[in-house]
Amino acid sequence: MSSESILSLRVNGQPFRRLVPAERSLLDFLREDLGLTGSKHGCDVGDCGACTVLVEGQPRLACITLAVEMEGASITTIEGIGGPEGPHPVQKHFDQQVASQCGYCTPGIVLVLVALLRDDPQPSESRIREVLGSNICRCTGYTKILAAARAAVGAA
Amino acid sequence: MSGRWHAGEEAVVVGHSGPKIDGMARITGQALFVDDLRLPRMVHAKFLRSPFPHAWIRSIDLSAALALPGVVGSMVGEEIPRKYGAIPVCQDETALAIGKVRYVGEPVVCIAAEDEETALRACRLVRVEYEPLPTILSIDEALDPARPAIHHDSRKPSNVLRRVSQDYGDVEKGFAEADLIVEESYDYPGSTHVPLESHGALAVWEADGRLKLWTSTQNPHYVHRDIARVLGLEAAQVRLIKPAVGAGYGGKCDPFCTELCASYLAKKLGRPVKIILDREEVFYAHRGRHPVRMWLKMGFRNDGSITAIDFKAQADGGAYSSYGVVTSYYLGVFMTLPYRLQNYRFESQRLYTNKPPCGPKRGHGAIQPRFALELHLEKAAQLLKIPADELRLRNIVAPDTETCNGLKVGSVGMEECIRAVVKSSGYAEKKGKLGPGRGIGIAASAYMCGALHPTYQNELFHSGVMIKVDRSGDVCLFSGTADIGQGSIHMLATLCAERLGLRPEQVRVVEGDTSLTPVDLGSYSSRVTFMAGNACVEAADKVRARLFAAAAKKLKVEDAALQAAEGFIFVKSEPTQKISFVDAVWLAEEAGPLVEAGGYTPPKIGNRFRRQSVGPSPAYSFTAQVAEVEVDEETGIIRVERIWVAHDCGRALNRTIVEGQLEGCVYMGVGEALYEEQAYRKGGILRAPSILEYKIPTLHETPEIHSIIVESHEEGGPFGAKEAGEGPQLSTVPAIAAALQDATGIWLRDPPFTPEKILKALERHRAPLS
């Protein structure tokens, strides 16, 4: 039997305290234990970026992060950055540019851009491209995603 | 906005750009995919899969697995003996292997447990005794009669699933009239879809004795029918619901073991069962692009006109048929477009091999022959000394004509597409002049807008839409379609809003629920905009007629004097004379509930050729592309820098969404041209069953894509619309191949164009003639 430990952390600003098995991934913890299903299983080995969340504001692949590593951490998921009523500027521009087709990769890519714009509100084109290279989108050919990212620059 | 529609009025909503009504749900993470759903007492099931490509199953010992704490139950193949399959005439697959495995990765046992991890551990405790059989892993091996039949138990055991042979006009006479004959062989590789959401299903038997099944599918109706049949249920006992789907690209058209085993185990265990494939399993579930070996011979006159085409194709189909019978036709049918042709012969074979089954992938069956035909035209253009764009322009079919194989073509925007990409790319100025290592290439293509015939024979409608409006002002549209990211929800809302004078976001769309929504055949063969769109317009027009009748009475004018826009119904000649949409609904409800339905049945386009029942479509889309590449002749690395794509989609119902489809098609084409291959090691094991190893383009490998929408008016289409979701991929790979040739002088006829292949070809090209 695996060992379990008590994990205390903040997710989307709210404190949580949960007993978690040592081998539980951060992704499963968020999805199964907290019901935050906006972060997705794409590959479970860190290849695609669909599970991306922000840990202390930085993008992190939740599928290859152990939940227990997150003791004391502050995590932001797609649910924590704005809803339809008050979307983040990145989300607003994703919507306007139709940068989301099936939408499965979208939460991860939105979070990557949110983190980028928080660090650097005026990123260069090459910086935007570099950052977006970490996530796979199979629908859009990235064209509208880039357009949304460019539009969000300065608006964030 | 220059709008044109069937009523001769300006369109208000149709033709606009911008957000999808369901966009924000996806962007905020609120859209629910099947893995996001959970039910009380739900258990998780996993598969044990075959490590052998071809073997008898001699015994299965489940005792250790079932003894593992947390395991709830299991099933083996014999428990669902009926064969399933996408096409009723060749169902040859069982939910789990029975007696024999036919590919590495074929599911053999399914185990349910309290959690996924326990189910996986239990699978590893199962003992299966196999007796390996000789394997068939290539086209040549499949054609070798000395090898055993993979489906030894079929009526006529053979590794040829289907052979199609068609002959139109007089091919020999055509070749005799030719000034130039070009003959080449081509090899197109297999590739797979890689939707980011894997296949998954969640099943529960409800207190009324019926099955409710959520599944990530493109084809709710066909899957619903087949699941019910295989499980021995009445279809009415099964409610299949398609939640948000994380794309398909053709990969989620078939019924799958996930749906069958989740449904069966949920009954057996009396608990809801969820099965989600992991990424490696998705690669083995496959149903992707067939590897096809092709031989093509074409005759040309000196003026560039085509005198004859003779084409042969052999498709390596994997262990089960999937849509393979359809593939065998699609490989040949579309070769008669977009160029005039009187004499055409083709022969195709779809073969069984001990590999995961191939099936439909974006541009199903048409991608491979299109590659051959277009690269062939590039060669012919050079030999005839006619510019490649000009050669194509000289041969374009006229609108409202019939091809030699009986395809009835309506609108044709081919010329505009070619001229648009030539002009915007500077093709004529750049061709042959970009300097060493840089090149430009062009290609064109045509594709279908839905199949005239369903997969099972019937004369019923292909698409039904129901619209319910009530005094609250709520407009709810019910459709059996499957939005898989292509935007069909928004398409329906747009058409409905246009006819009722509303905005798309005022229309609620309920789709893909076999109990709530009228039948729609599914998201395949680029049929949804054309067919469901037409059904939607018919339903909306019936609602509109009732609203207008009520409003006319109130405003004391004739119905024909009215118009609907911006939430009002008003007198065209005197727009201040108006009533609100909600007031009109209130008045219309005096005559009873305001619920109307529309249906689309394809026209009975008699094809002269009875054998040609697979391929004809009510309309055809056209695409031209120019690719610009850079090749490093030291390393062999090729980079696609830019692609210009112009597509005749009929009327663009939403321009942003159409552009998104063009971009997605080009992207997928670039992957197939340069990187992607569903390749196998000895023993039928996949070389690259992960996103890391199977090289799909990231942003860094994706070219700049310039989309150009060319609008034609297709008489039979909703507001003149055709398709945009698949056709634009057809010409990407040959345009890149032509650009590679322009850059280096080498002819590569076997994508993907890897550095290894390019370097080898460059060596041969540079070698002095001996």
Side-chain angles (χ1 to χ4, degrees), chain A residues 31 40 42 102 138-139 144, chain B residues 26 36 193 279 659 676:
Chain A
R31 289 177 54 86
K40 303 299 182 194
C102 81
R138 193 65 168 157
C139 290
K144 302 269 182 263
Chain B
R26 294 167 200 268
D36 301 333
H193 319 80
R279 180 51 55 188
E659 283 172 11
E676 297 182 31

Side-chain angles (χ1 to χ4, degrees), chain A residues 23 31-35 37-45 47-48 50 78-79 82-84 87 90-92 94-98 100-107 110 128-144 146, chain B residues 18-20 23-24 26-33 35-36 38 44 192-198 245-247 249 279 361-362 484-486 639 654 656-657 659-661 663-665 667-668 676 690-692 694 696-700 702-703 705:
Chain A
E23 74 279 6
R31 289 177 54 86
E32 307 293 328
D33 295 1
L34 303 189
T37 54
S39 311
K40 303 299 182 194
H41 285 282
C43 64
D44 285 326
V45 291
D47 290 342
C48 75
I78 191 70
E79 290 88 350
V90 169
Q91 292 177 308
K92 199 182 89 195
F94 258 65
D95 191 36
Q96 286 175 356
Q97 302 285 341
V98 193
S100 172
Q101 286 187 23
C102 81
Y104 203 77
C105 70
T106 309
V110 165
I128 295 173
R129 295 183 67 94
E130 183 192 334
V131 160
L132 285 175
S134 62
N135 290 53
I136 299 277
C137 168
R138 193 65 168 157
C139 290
T140 62
Y142 306 102
T143 311
K144 302 269 182 263
L146 268 175
Chain B
K20 299 194 285 189
M24 230 5 140
R26 294 167 200 268
I27 294 162
T28 56
Q30 290 185 8
L32 293 176
F33 298 83
D35 193 22
D36 301 333
R38 54 175 152 174
H44 301 263
T192 198
H193 319 80
V194 201
L196 271 200
E197 182 212 23
S198 63
V245 169
Y249 322 109
R279 180 51 55 188
K361 185 185 173 202
R362 204 173 206 165
I484 52 172
Q486 82 278 46
R639 213 190 130 65
N654 177 303
T656 323
I657 293 177
E659 283 172 11
Q661 290 303 304
E663 290 153 5
C665 280
Y667 164 79
M668 211 158 252
E676 297 182 31
S690 75
I691 289 178
L692 183 67
Y694 181 89
I696 65 183
T698 71
L699 173 66
H700 300 309
T702 305
I705 303 168

Side-chain angles (χ1 to χ4, degrees), chain B residues 157-396:
Chain B
S158 158
N159 289 326
V160 180
L161 164 70
R162 182 62 63 105
R163 183 170 169 276
V164 176
S165 181
Q166 299 186 345
D167 197 340
Y168 305 96
D170 186 338
V171 170
E172 296 313 326
K173 184 166 158 276
F175 285 129
E177 288 168 5
D179 298 312
L180 169 71
I181 287 176
V182 183
E183 193 178 332
E184 291 289 354
S185 296
Y186 299 84
D187 260 305
Y188 200 94
S191 59
T192 198
H193 319 80
V194 201
L196 271 200
E197 182 212 23
S198 63
H199 308 58
L202 168 61
V204 62
W205 286 78
E206 299 199 298
D208 59 6
R210 299 183 195 206
L211 168 67
K212 198 192 251 185
L213 173 67
W214 289 265
T215 178
S216 179
T217 184
Q218 300 181 223
N219 290 350
H221 174 68
Y222 289 145
V223 172
H224 173 228
R225 277 175 59 88
D226 213 37
I227 295 288
R229 182 188 60 80
V230 173
L231 293 174
L233 305 168
E234 296 295 328
Q237 264 180 284
V238 181
R239 176 177 174 192
L240 184 148
I241 303 166
K242 179 214 75 88
V245 169
Y249 322 109
K252 294 173 182 167
C253 286
D254 293 50
F256 282 97
C257 57
T258 44
E259 292 141 349
L260 287 163
C261 294
S263 300
Y264 178 85
L265 279 172
K267 176 85 170 180
K268 182 174 174 179
L269 306 176
R271 293 176 68 175
V273 176
K274 186 197 264 190
I275 306 182
I276 306 290
L277 297 190
D278 69 25
R279 180 51 55 188
E280 185 174 10
E281 288 180 291
V282 176
F283 279 93
Y284 280 99
H286 192 38
R287 325 281 151 161
R289 182 95 57 225
H290 287 70
V292 183
R293 188 159 79 185
M294 298 171 280
W295 170 85
L296 175 61
K297 181 178 171 185
M298 288 178 75
F300 297 87
R301 289 199 191 84
N302 283 329
D303 65 1
S305 53
I306 300 165
T307 63
I309 294 181
D310 195 2
F311 178 61
K312 288 190 175 67
Q314 293 165 327
D316 173 352
Y320 294 97
S321 62
S322 178
Y323 281 78
V325 169
V326 176
T327 316
S328 61
Y329 285 90
Y330 281 9
L331 282 168
V333 170
F334 304 116
M335 294 290 266
T336 58
L337 284 172
Y339 311 115
R340 286 189 305 278
L341 181 66
Q342 292 309 315
N343 309 304
Y344 176 48
R345 179 164 65 201
F346 98 87
E347 188 190 304
S348 72
Q349 285 172 297
R350 199 276 193 181
L351 307 163
Y352 284 123
T353 53
N354 290 121
K355 295 189 275 195
C358 296
K361 185 185 173 202
R362 204 173 206 165
H364 182 193
I367 290 272
Q368 304 95 327
R370 178 58 47 186
F371 168 68
L373 177 62
E374 294 296 315
L375 198 53
H376 224 71
L377 287 181
E378 179 64 37
K379 180 94 180 181
Q382 295 186 16
L383 293 170
L384 291 165
K385 299 190 169 37
I386 300 172
D389 53 332
E390 174 63 25
L391 176 64
R392 288 175 171 86
L393 286 169
R394 287 186 194 177
N395 280 293
I396 296 170

Side-chain angles (χ1 to χ4, degrees), chain B residues 70-226:
Chain B
V71 169
V72 179
S74 69
M75 63 176 287
V76 294
E78 283 79 0
E79 292 178 65
I80 310 182
R82 276 199 197 132
K83 290 179 175 177
Y84 77 86
I87 306 290
V89 296
C90 54
Q91 284 156 334
D92 56 10
E93 197 162 1
T94 48
L96 298 170
I98 301 177
K100 190 182 190 187
V101 289
R102 296 178 175 86
Y103 66 94
V104 171
E106 180 164 6
V108 177
V109 173
C110 186
I111 296 187
E114 297 293 345
D115 59 84
E116 225 180 4
E117 185 56 36
T118 304
L120 265 176
R121 282 172 51 211
C123 283
R124 288 185 211 117
L125 296 175
V126 176
R127 292 284 159 261
V128 184
E129 197 188 332
Y130 295 98
E131 183 184 323
L133 284 160
T135 57
I136 290 99
L137 289 171
S138 68
I139 288 170
D140 287 329
E141 287 172 0
L143 291 169
D144 177 359
R147 301 259 172 171
I150 291 171
H151 292 274
H152 63 283
D153 51 352
S154 64
R155 255 175 292 157
K156 276 197 240 161
S158 158
N159 289 326
V160 180
L161 164 70
R162 182 62 63 105
R163 183 170 169 276
V164 176
S165 181
Q166 299 186 345
D167 197 340
Y168 305 96
D170 186 338
V171 170
E172 296 313 326
K173 184 166 158 276
F175 285 129
E177 288 168 5
D179 298 312
L180 169 71
I181 287 176
V182 183
E183 193 178 332
E184 291 289 354
S185 296
Y186 299 84
D187 260 305
Y188 200 94
S191 59
T192 198
H193 319 80
V194 201
L196 271 200
E197 182 212 23
S198 63
H199 308 58
L202 168 61
V204 62
W205 286 78
E206 299 199 298
D208 59 6
R210 299 183 195 206
L211 168 67
K212 198 192 251 185
L213 173 67
W214 289 265
T215 178
S216 179
T217 184
Q218 300 181 223
N219 290 350
H221 174 68
Y222 289 145
V223 172
H224 173 228
R225 277 175 59 88
D226 213 37

